[in-house]
């Protein structure tokens, strides 16, 4: 078996709209195509021995053990690999369960699709599953545990931390979209101008001054002391002389901790001798030059969490420890404790495994213990000097036990320091009494406090502390999204997108849009190139200035990674025509329609799908949608349009020369087509169709008809505004048209326009695209022969696996098939072909360059036009 390609889908896709996170693996079974599982002796037994938990996979049988039943009956290895990939992720602590395996048009080659929780783990699982299946087929040994541990390590390296993850999970529960910014814990909630950002538990609302204060433990202590809040006595030390003075002042026992430390790193507690104090000072200096030395307060370590100046949780933190039983050594007790299923690697479970480190050894040494000591029955042996969960500590929820005065104190502290998310560390005998009565003190105030101890305490009630964070960032009434109109189809996507962006901008929105020639924000090009995929869509949605997004969405990006947004308000399919067939398992128009339908299937329930009533594939898609659907047509006599109007539905039609919205039998004439520059005086029929789609979308969004009309009249097609879309350059004696037409439907649109053009001679410059089917290249050439008197064939780019001679041969065959006596010449380089056409142009001729690289063609023609204009001025 051979893996041909592995890709990660991150948004709504052809396999599932709801399940956005999928791995798609293209797998060649090679000789295993002839060997289903029931023909491989002992395969089922070996698989069940290695991964017995697969018994829970119901598969199509719909019952426990269903997958093994399929193995017995005989199923292909792609299906087996799908199930293995899912189960090993679950065994590694990432429970997931959606999968599909489908054979492609090529026998023996399958698309194996399965869900993932962490992308890098999913990619690893794909390769691992194939290797496992191969070992099971051959009956060789395989170290599954090694793969599972590797997957856990990958997860810990790339996953969001527990605090960040909890906020994201709460956002997802509230249907708030999110984007991870980079590879760390910086996250954007919402889209465009309505976005909010946070990293760990620091939000875009967090005061930088407050963070600086909280990180400066000395300043924090002074601020609290000035506010009559109890703090531990002590001072800052930099050397042994300072240490001696402080100890003389406050006495033993003491605590030493780095001024700039966190997570308990570098801390020494309950220090009772000068020798240990000096050692603790040296240890702390590994983390900071300035060391806090405070009186050690006996009691319990409590963490109070205050969000938006309101107390939301309190936990008692207990350092990692074991309890003696008179029989086992401390090392053995640690191993037994780590067997607790609640403990795991890193942050994967409620608790973290206990590791032996310098802190552990120092604590045991102070007790004259070693790891081989057998503690007495019931004796608690502490293994860490701090109670952090990340070092194996445990937590007990005590939120409901807090005295009202302590609640008031904690909320006041958050205001004194100024933190929106504030962790207050308290040392006290309990929180049921006011601190001033039991002698408790504030140890620290933490910016970016961890949430895990509150989300999943080892004892007590879990607290959803992420909820008040989202409440703070998105209070009732605040929107998290921006309007999104997504445009797809075979032809007309870019023009429709640009026209819509123009309409939106004219209605006062700051608009961001993507096209096949670049990313734009308020008509400023941000990035140049074909930007119709999910990365470009995310670019727009990340921009904090964008109020409205119009996104051209091409098939390539959908197949490669899925959509770049979770859902849209309006989706448009301009048409579905033959193009790109034979690529990426898209062989028929039905296949292509399935890809394009991803856009409109992602529309929100009360949103609109705008579809072409003259396209049978659009009509079929429309019948399957859950959202509202509206159609446009070039004639009001279209049977579907007539039916919808009879039902009182809203449609857009071209009637009596007008761009018209019909609501039932009522007509709202938006503008005469001849007054819409984009239609080239009403001659470019396919442009009228694009205008209808954009007009209908704008009307259903809620823009006023007069504003739509004005926008249609002021959208001037040009090489700058609509590059490569029916750009006409008028020379004194001839004209040149540049268009991006690259498929049969596009060629037919140009042919229809040229029928209305009067010219002494019509010259066409054409080329073939190497990754199209033979019949597609020939059909384009046949259409070209019908509409041109003379053809210049050029072919230097986009060979895509073919030879230049091979493509030109297909073009010549297509020209011959037209049956028309048309002259032609071959000039391979596009620049030379265009220059030759202009240099030899006769008076009254009309040159049409159908170019797949419109920028180059436009630059050459503009250069000639500029020279002619300069000469005219002389």
């Amino acid at each position: 078996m051979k893996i041909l390609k592995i890709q990660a889908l991150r948004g709504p896709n052809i396999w599932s709209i709801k399940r956005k996170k999928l791995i798609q693996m293209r797998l060649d079974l090679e000789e295993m195509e002839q060997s289903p599982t029931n023909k491989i002796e002992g395969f089922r037994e070996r698989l069940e021995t290695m991964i017995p938990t697969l018994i829970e996979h119901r598969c199509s049988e719909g019952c426990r053990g269903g997958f093994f039943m399929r193995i017995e009956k005989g199923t292909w290895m792609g299906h087996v690999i799908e199930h293995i990939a899912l189960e090993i992720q679950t065994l590694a602590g990432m429970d997931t369960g959606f999968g599909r395996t489908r054979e492609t048009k090529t026998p023996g080659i399958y698309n194996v699709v399965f869900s993932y929780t962490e992308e890098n783990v999913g990619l690893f699982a794909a390769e691992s599953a194939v290797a496992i299946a191969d070992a099971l087929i051959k009956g060789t040994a395989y170290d599954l545990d090694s793969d599972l541990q590797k997957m856990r390590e990958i997860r810990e390296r790339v996953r969001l931390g527990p605090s960040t993850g909890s906020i994201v999970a709460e956002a997802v529960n509230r249907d708030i979209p999110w984007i991870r910014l980079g590879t760390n814990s910086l996250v954007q909630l919402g889209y465009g101008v309505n976005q909010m950002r946070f990293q760990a538990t620091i939000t875009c609302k967090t005061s930088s001054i407050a963070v600086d204060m909280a990180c400066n433990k000395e300043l924090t202590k002074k601020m609290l002391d000035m506010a009559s809040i109890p703090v531990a006595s002590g001072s800052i030390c930099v050397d042994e002389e300072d240490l001696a003075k402080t100890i003389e002042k406050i006495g033993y026992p003491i605590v030493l901790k780095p001024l700039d430390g966190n997570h308990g790193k570098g801390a020494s507690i309950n220090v009772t001798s000068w020798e240990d104090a000096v050692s603790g000072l040296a240890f702390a200096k590994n983390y900071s030059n300035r060391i806090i030395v405070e009186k050690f307060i006996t009691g319990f370590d409590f963490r109070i969490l205050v969000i938006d100046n309101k107390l939301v949780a309190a936990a008692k933190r207990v350092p990692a420890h074991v309890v003696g039983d008179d029989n086992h050594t401390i090392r053995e007790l640690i191993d037994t404790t780590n067997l607790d299923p609640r403990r795991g690697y890193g942050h994967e479970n409620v608790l973290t495994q206990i590791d032996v480190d310098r802190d552990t050894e120092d604590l045991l040494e102070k007790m004259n213990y070693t790891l081989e000591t057998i503690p007495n029955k019931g004796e608690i042996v502490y293994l860490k000097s701090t109670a952090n969960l990340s070092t194996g500590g445990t937590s007990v929820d005590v939120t409901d036990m807090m005295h009202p005065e302590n609640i008031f104190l904690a909320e006041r502290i958050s205001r004194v320091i100024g933190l929106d998310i504030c962790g207050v560390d308290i040392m006290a005998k309990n929180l049921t009494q006011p601190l001033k009565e039991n002698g408790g003190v504030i140890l620290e105030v933490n910016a970016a406090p961890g949430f895990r101890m509150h989300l999943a305490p080892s004892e007590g009630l879990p607290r959803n502390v992420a909820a008040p964070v989202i409440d703070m960032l998105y209070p009732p009434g605040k929107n998290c999204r921006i309007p999104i109109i997504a445009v797809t189809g075979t032809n007309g996507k870019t023009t429709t997108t640009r026209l819509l962006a123009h309409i939106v901008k004219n209605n006062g929105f700051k608009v961001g849009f993507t096209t096949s020639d670049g990313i734009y924000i308020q008509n400023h090009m941000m990035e140049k190139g074909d930007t119709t995929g999910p990365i470009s869509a995310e670019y727009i949605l990340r921009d904090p200035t964008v109020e409205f997004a119009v996104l051209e969405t091409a098939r390539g990006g959908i197949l490669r990674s899925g959509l770049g947004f979770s859902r849209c308000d309006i989706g448009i399919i301009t048409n579905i025509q033959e193009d790109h067939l034979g690529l990426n398992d898209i062989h028929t128009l039905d296949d292509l329609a399935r890809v394009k339908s991803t856009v409109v299937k992602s529309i929100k329930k009360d949103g609109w799908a705008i579809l072409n009533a003259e396209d049978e594939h659009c009509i079929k898609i429309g019948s399957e949608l859950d959202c509202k659907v509206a159609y446009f047509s070039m004639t009001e006599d279209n049977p579907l349009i007539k039916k919808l109007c009879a039902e009182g539905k809203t449609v857009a039609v071209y009637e009596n020369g007008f761009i018209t919205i019909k609501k039932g039998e009522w007509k709202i004439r938006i503008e005469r087509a001849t007054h819409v520059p984009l239609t080239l005086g009403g001659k470019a029929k396919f442009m009228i169709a694009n205008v209808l789609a954009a007009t209908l979308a704008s009307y259903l969004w809620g823009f006023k008809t007069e504003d739509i009309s004005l926008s249609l009249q002021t959208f001037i097609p040009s090489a700058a505004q609509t590059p490569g879309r029916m750009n006409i350059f008028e020379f004194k004696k001839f004209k040149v048209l540049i268009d991006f037409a690259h498929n049969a439907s596009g060629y037919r649109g140009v042919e229809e326009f040229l029928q209305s053009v009067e010219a002494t001679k019509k010259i066409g410059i054409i080329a073939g695209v190497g990754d199209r089917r033979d019949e597609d290249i020939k059909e384009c050439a046949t259409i070209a022969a019908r509409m041109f008197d003379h053809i210049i064939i050029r072919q230097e780019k986009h060979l895509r696996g073919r030879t230049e001679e091979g493509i030109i041969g297909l073009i010549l065959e297509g020209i011959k098939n037209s049956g028309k006596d048309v002259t032609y010449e071959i000039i391979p380089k596009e620049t030379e072909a265009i220059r030759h056409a202009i240099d030899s142009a006769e008076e009254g001729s009309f040159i049409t360059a159908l170019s797949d690289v419109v920028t180059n063609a436009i630059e050459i023609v503009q250069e000639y036009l500029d020279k002619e204009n300069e000469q005219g001025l002389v």
Side-chain angles (χ1 to χ4, degrees), residues 144 239 417 419 521 594 676 719 787 789 822 834:
L144 177 60
D239 53 29
I417 303 302
L419 287 169
I521 295 175
R594 185 166 72 98
V676 180
M787 60 177 160
D789 301 312
V822 58
I834 294 173

Side-chain angles (χ1 to χ4, degrees), residues 432-475:
T432 58
Q433 295 176 286
L435 296 191
K436 64 184 180 184
E437 292 183 11
N438 64 20
V441 297
I442 308 303
L443 298 178
E444 287 182 12
V445 177
N446 295 273
F451 282 3
R452 185 161 63 131
M453 69 186 76
H454 308 295
L455 293 166
S458 44
E459 294 180 41
L461 187 67
R463 306 284 173 172
N464 181 8
V465 294
V469 175
I470 300 298
D471 291 339
M472 176 180 68
L473 297 177
Y474 288 102

Side-chain angles (χ1 to χ4, degrees), residues 94 135 180 208 238 335 353 366 375 424 434 624 663 673 676 721 771 825:
M94 290 154 279
R180 189 172 186 174
S208 59
V238 296
D335 291 341
Q353 291 181 350
K366 289 177 183 178
V424 182
E624 300 169 349
K663 298 180 71 174
V676 180
Q721 181 85 293
D771 60 3
E825 57 187 313

Side-chain angles (χ1 to χ4, degrees), residues 487-509:
V487 183
T488 192
T490 302
N491 296 316
K493 298 187 296 295
T494 298
T495 302
T496 304
T497 297
R498 283 183 168 274
L499 177 56
L500 273 166
H502 179 73
I503 295 170
V504 171
K505 183 175 182 291
N506 283 357
N507 277 271
F509 288 92

